[in-house]
Amino acid sequence: MEVGVSLIETFWNMCLLHDIASRDQLLREAVRVIRTKQTIAEQVSLDQTIQTEPEKLFQWMKEHVGDRELGHFPGDRDLFYKLYHTGKEMDLMEYALQTIQQDRVTGGIIVHSGIVEQFVDMCSRQHYQSLLITEAEKYIKGLVETKCCTLPFTITLLTESYIIGRLFKTYFESLSNVQVIQGSIYQPLPLDEKYEAILSMPNFGMKMNDDDVPIRESEGAAVSYLLPLLQDGGRMSVTFPARMMFQSGTIANWRKQTNELAPVQSIYAHPDGLFRPFTSIKTYQVDFGKSSVDEIALGRWQLEKSNLVIEREITMHPDQFRLLDNWRIDMLLDEDQDTLRSFQQAAIPKLKLREVADIFRGKSILKQDLKAGKIKVLNISNIDDGEVSLDQLETIDEEERKVKRYEILPGDLVMTCRGTLNKFAVFPEHDGMVIASANILVVRFKSTIQSHFAKIFLESPVGTALIQSFQRGTTVMNLNPADVAEIEVPLLPVEKQLEVMNGYLLEKERYNEVIQEATTRWEQVRNQLYGELY
């Protein structure tokens, strides 16, 4: 492996010295070298000394690989001779893997090989033969490590990149069961063939402008375009970000329609950070099928020695699954579900926050923007033990009208939306204007719900579980205002809310008094004991 990496780095450095620097340029010249080596090897009777003579080798490359396939070679015969003898022993897929991983411009993701392994295992269990792997460059590591192309499958590798397509064709030239085609999963694919299994990780967060699909999100649009390519009885395994699992509106409608067209067969939550450094958001693997199932598998994977294994798994009847308005399986997988289940099944009316409050995120403020000024800024550090510390607020120098939409009013519920801890506080009376930073969400309730009552509920075990189910990030919290708006709160009569609030605040005040008395007494006793030491 070290020898291979050394060859790759030497090849890169030689290319970079001659302004061959972009990902596609680096891949193209490696393909040119390996393709030239293949054409020479195909001619058994050829005088192999051709590889030792720069001019003959250069002319052979131009005649047998040519400009049409890979474009004009950006150098002379001496450069090609050096590149050829540096790179001819490289493993082309390992080279592609390293080059894509090092690319900081395109930012291409390499999917964990365990995803491919799970997909291949599923195909073997289902006795599938024809497989389609989309945007196959994302799965290079898994293709190599699982050696799935040497198994009894007919595999089609789809890529949008011309040079990636040439690389795959060169690498898999000797395998008749591997086909490489070029195309995009973000538009209709004019393919006559249908496949028994499809593997896809669409790009996250792109917006589509195609009216032919019922959703603008790239993840959903890709699935809509790929489903027609799935055979009856086949399965499609797709990687989704968390928001596709629970966001409302058009995404919720798309989930329902897709589950009707190709019922969900299984959903597994990925281990935290599986796709770092590409993304740290929570991700899930959803399998759709062109057939009905008796039960749907819901589970969570964990990493054991680089392998994805099931940490926890439950099953659900398809009729019960269809009743869900989201696919937030994290709550279903929590082993201590009694409290949450009792809330969900309780007869008391519930309302989503968006029905009873306006929710907005604060202003993004850079460190250099903090300076002496009349506008105060609330950040995470200013919320402690359910209270706001007004005397420690930093300031900015800005016109009030420009930041008015971020202003926090007395009685607003403020909550952290980034960081590692959920913090809540009801904003107190204050002098001057205070705005929220981008790390804070402001929830401004209408008369239906009291802010203190909502704070008590959201801090409870049930509220904590609900918030975590809408979590987009993994280790670091990342809550979106639109997601928080979907959280349900109990709708109690105002009198009952006030009763709960007053009881809570009274007991908290007593608690703080007892703590203060105990602290004062302890300090007095401690100081007395210290005085008796000498």
Side-chain angles (χ1 to χ4, degrees):
M1 181 68 177
E2 291 182 1
V3 174
V5 172
S6 176
L7 282 176
I8 290 170
E9 290 179 348
T10 304
F11 193 87
W12 280 341
N13 292 334
M14 195 174 294
C15 287
L16 294 173
L17 285 172
H18 293 82
D19 296 324
I20 301 170
S22 72
R23 184 195 77 170
D24 282 2
Q25 287 174 330
L26 292 170
L27 294 176
R28 177 179 286 110
E29 297 318 316
V31 173
R32 194 189 306 272
V33 164
I34 301 301
R35 188 75 193 102
T36 300
K37 179 184 175 182
Q38 288 176 344
T39 59
I40 293 173
E42 288 166 2
Q43 302 294 325
V44 180
S45 60
L46 185 69
D47 181 0
Q48 295 299 308
T49 59
I50 191 174
Q51 298 184 68
T52 64
E53 299 182 30
E55 180 61 29
K56 286 185 177 180
L57 182 64
F58 189 61
Q59 291 302 322
W60 179 274
M61 179 272 291
K62 295 190 72 174
E63 292 174 13
H64 293 84
V65 178
D67 295 343
R68 187 176 65 84
E69 183 177 337
L70 293 172
H72 177 70
F73 177 69
D76 57 17
R77 66 180 186 183
D78 293 328
L79 174 59
F80 181 72
Y81 184 81
K82 292 177 184 176
L83 287 176
Y84 180 83
H85 285 284
T86 300
K88 66 178 182 176
E89 301 303 328
M90 292 189 307
D91 182 293
L92 192 54
M93 288 287 269
E94 179 63 29
Y95 176 86
L97 173 62
Q98 297 295 331
T99 303
I100 293 172
Q101 285 182 326
Q102 294 296 323
D103 178 30
R104 294 291 178 264
V105 178
T106 309
I109 183 174
I110 299 295
V111 175
H112 191 278
S113 57
I115 301 290
V116 179
E117 185 177 7
Q118 291 287 345
F119 177 70
V120 171
D121 287 348
M122 181 273 291
C123 292
S124 297
R125 291 194 309 271
Q126 298 293 327
H127 305 291
Y128 292 148
Q129 295 293 314
S130 58
L131 282 52
L132 172 65
I133 299 178
T134 73
E135 296 181 320
E137 59 270 25
K138 295 177 179 178
Y139 299 99
I140 284 180
K141 189 175 179 65
L143 290 171
V144 172
E145 293 188 5
T146 64
K147 296 182 172 57
C148 59
C149 292
T150 63
L151 299 176
F153 298 122
T154 299
I155 298 179
T156 299
L157 303 177
L158 174 69
T159 178
E160 197 170 347
S161 164
Y162 172 79
I163 192 59
I164 293 287
R166 300 311 307 174
L167 185 145
F168 283 145
K169 286 184 178 180
T170 301
Y171 185 82
F172 293 111
E173 184 187 43
S174 62
L175 298 179
S176 60
N177 64 315
V178 179
Q179 180 187 11
V180 181
I181 57 177
Q182 188 178 356
S184 170
I185 63 174
Y186 309 106
Q187 61 189 32
L189 286 157
L191 301 177
D192 296 329
E193 186 176 353
K194 291 192 175 186
Y195 304 89
E196 291 175 297
I198 300 175
L199 179 62
S200 184
M201 181 182 179
N203 293 329
F204 294 169
M206 287 171 47
K207 293 291 185 181
M208 316 302 294
N209 294 316
D210 194 340
D211 295 332
D212 292 336
V213 288
I215 188 170
R216 292 189 63 203
E217 278 67 18
S218 51
E219 302 94 330
V223 170
S224 297
Y225 288 132
L226 288 170
L227 276 178
L229 302 180
L230 192 62
Q231 289 185 18
D232 290 341
R235 282 196 182 188
M236 177 162 61
S237 185
V238 186
T239 301
F240 286 121
R243 65 187 176 83
M244 296 298 293
M245 310 301 284
F246 57 69
Q247 201 160 307
S248 60
T250 55
I251 292 180
N253 294 333
W254 172 85
R255 282 196 301 267
K256 182 178 179 181
Q257 293 170 9
T258 305
N259 191 48
E260 291 171 355
L261 289 171
V264 170
Q265 316 281 300
S266 66
I267 302 177
Y268 287 92
H270 293 154
D272 288 355
L274 187 67
F275 296 104
R276 289 195 188 115
F278 175 74
T279 181
S280 292
I281 63 175
K282 290 173 70 173
T283 51
Y284 299 80
Q285 200 71 22
V286 181
D287 279 16
F288 302 94
K290 285 287 188 75
S291 61
S292 58
V293 289
D294 295 330
E295 56 185 21
I296 299 169
L298 307 176
R300 186 163 46 227
W301 287 335
Q302 67 178 6
L303 279 173
E304 283 187 5
K305 297 180 179 178
S306 299
N307 296 320
L308 286 176
V309 298
I310 295 174
E311 175 191 354
R312 175 163 166 74
E313 186 179 59
I314 62 173
T315 58
M316 178 179 285
H317 192 277
D319 292 342
Q320 186 181 3
F321 183 80
R322 275 192 290 271
L323 295 176
L324 301 177
D325 61 358
N326 57 66
W327 296 347
R328 284 153 46 204
I329 67 168
D330 301 83
M331 287 198 303
L332 300 172
L333 293 172
D334 283 347
E335 296 184 13
D336 184 13
Q337 281 286 299
D338 292 343
T339 305
L340 187 57
R341 190 177 294 110
S342 63
F343 168 71
Q344 292 173 325
Q345 296 176 353
I348 60 170
K350 308 174 188 69
L351 286 174
K352 293 184 177 181
L353 286 180
R354 60 180 166 82
E355 300 177 78
V356 293
D358 296 320
I359 305 173
F360 62 90
R361 188 194 292 272
K363 176 178 173 58
S364 178
I365 298 173
L366 302 176
K367 195 169 185 179
Q368 57 262 35
D369 295 332
L370 296 171
K371 59 185 72 172
K374 60 183 179 179
I375 308 297
K376 299 176 182 177
V377 180
L378 178 72
N379 213 326
I380 296 174
S381 59
N382 307 123
I383 303 175
D384 188 37
D385 194 26
E387 303 290 339
V388 173
S389 301
L390 290 172
D391 57 342
Q392 298 177 355
L393 300 179
E394 294 183 283
T395 61
I396 59 172
D397 185 18
E398 186 59 271
E399 296 180 39
E400 287 191 7
R401 64 178 180 83
K402 292 184 178 181
V403 294
K404 185 71 176 174
R405 62 194 177 112
Y406 304 109
E407 183 179 14
I408 312 173
L409 302 179
D412 285 344
L413 176 64
V414 292
M415 59 183 290
T416 53
C417 58
R418 293 176 182 166
T420 55
L421 293 174
N422 288 120
K423 293 183 177 183
F424 303 90
V426 175
F427 205 72
E429 294 287 342
H430 60 279
D431 296 325
M433 176 182 277
V434 181
I435 65 171
S437 75
N439 297 321
I440 303 292
L441 292 183
V442 180
V443 184
R444 185 165 297 156
F445 287 97
K446 302 165 187 176
S447 57
T448 315
I449 298 289
Q450 301 294 310
S451 295
H452 276 289
F453 174 77
K455 173 181 175 291
I456 295 168
F457 173 74
L458 292 173
E459 287 177 331
S460 72
V462 169
T464 301
L466 288 170
I467 289 171
Q468 288 176 348
S469 73
F470 285 100
Q471 173 68 277
R472 291 178 184 230
T474 52
T475 306
V476 178
M477 177 174 53
N478 180 14
L479 291 170
N480 185 285
D483 300 339
V484 171
E486 295 300 310
I487 294 174
E488 288 185 322
V489 294
L491 180 60
L492 300 182
V494 174
E495 296 78 11
K496 182 63 177 176
Q497 293 183 46
L498 292 172
E499 180 184 332
V500 172
M501 288 164 43
N502 292 333
Y504 178 91
L505 293 173
L506 178 61
E507 288 304 319
K508 184 175 181 181
E509 185 176 350
R510 288 175 178 170
Y511 169 80
N512 288 335
E513 288 174 354
V514 171
I515 292 295
Q516 184 59 49
E517 290 173 3
T519 301
T520 302
R521 177 175 172 78
W522 166 238
E523 289 177 351
Q524 291 173 346
V525 172
R526 184 179 57 181
N527 291 334
Q528 181 181 342
L529 292 172
Y530 288 162
E532 296 174 0
L533 294 176
Y534 48 87

